[in-house]
Amino acid sequence: MPLTPLEHDRRYGELDQVIRAYIGQQADDTPERASLALNAYLRHTWHTRPWALAIAERQLREYAEHPPGRLRLSLGGVLRGT
């Protein structure tokens, strides 16, 4: 069932901003070093909407723990640890 625009923004609005930061950039994040795209998102958001950083973290964690249908199916073996 598709989400309404308001529900989508509430559940994934900040996640969408994080993903947009990666457009045209390398997603070469490691546990030791954040990518240029992530650093740019964090710097910009900290200066314009610092409260949104906590929202982005929550949305990213929720999305990683419970990916949507098609992604969950394609990641099935990875999610089960096989």
Side-chain angles (χ1 to χ4, degrees), residues 2 5-6 11 17-19 24 26-27 30 32 41 44 48-49 52-53 55-56 60 74 79 82:
L6 189 59
R11 289 183 65 189
Q17 295 298 315
V18 174
I19 299 299
Q26 293 290 323
T30 65
E32 296 81 30
Y41 165 79
H44 175 74
T48 58
R49 303 173 298 121
L53 294 173
I55 296 168
L60 284 163
S74 64
L79 294 175
T82 59

Side-chain angles (χ1 to χ4, degrees), residues 9-78:
D9 283 349
R10 184 182 56 76
R11 289 183 65 189
Y12 302 116
E14 202 56 36
L15 173 67
D16 188 46
Q17 295 298 315
V18 174
I19 299 299
R20 287 175 187 266
Y22 281 88
I23 294 176
Q25 302 293 321
Q26 293 290 323
D28 55 358
D29 300 272
T30 65
E32 296 81 30
R33 187 178 66 79
S35 68
L36 293 176
L38 183 57
N39 279 329
Y41 165 79
L42 292 171
R43 186 173 45 254
H44 175 74
T45 305
W46 176 253
H47 289 294
T48 58
R49 303 173 298 121
W51 65 89
L53 294 173
I55 296 168
E57 179 186 12
R58 181 179 48 80
Q59 289 178 0
L60 284 163
R61 288 183 188 278
E62 180 182 321
Y63 193 85
E65 290 172 6
H66 308 287
R70 288 184 193 165
L71 182 59
R72 183 184 355 230
L73 291 175
S74 64
L75 292 174
V78 176

